Amino acid sequence: NYLLISIVLLLVMSFTFLVAYLMHRFRTVIEAYLVRIFIRAFRPMKSSDYKTHVFIGYADDDVGFVRHTLL
């Protein structure tokens, strides 16, 4: 009996840890899914919805890419 109880507790703890990890990992996806379910007018923005395009560069070499390639 004690072995069976220990195995069941181990499985419950493992399942709880897995669910907690997945909820933390995919929190944004889950929130967006729930918002889409409960708010019918909500839709994700597309690239055509943005009026200006922005390139964010973090390296010094990105200046040449923006100046010569993008422009």
Side-chain angles (χ1 to χ4, degrees):
N1 279 341
Y2 292 119
L3 180 63
L4 182 62
I5 291 171
S6 298
I7 291 173
V8 168
L9 285 176
L10 177 67
L11 289 175
V12 168
M13 287 175 39
S14 299
F15 181 73
T16 304
F17 175 76
L18 180 65
V19 168
Y21 171 75
L22 291 175
M23 291 285 286
H24 177 71
R25 173 75 170 86
F26 297 107
R27 181 180 65 219
T28 306
V29 176
I30 294 169
E31 287 176 0
Y33 178 73
L34 292 175
V35 166
R36 266 187 268 139
I37 288 175
F38 294 114
I39 302 174
R40 297 290 183 192
F42 175 79
R43 68 175 179 81
M45 295 182 75
K46 298 177 183 168
S47 61
S48 60
D49 295 331
Y50 297 101
K51 303 216 185 287
T52 57
H53 299 283
V54 175
F55 177 80
I56 299 174
Y58 296 101
D60 292 336
D61 298 337
D62 291 340
V63 173
F65 171 73
V66 172
R67 187 179 301 148
H68 299 294
T69 306
L70 291 180
L71 295 178

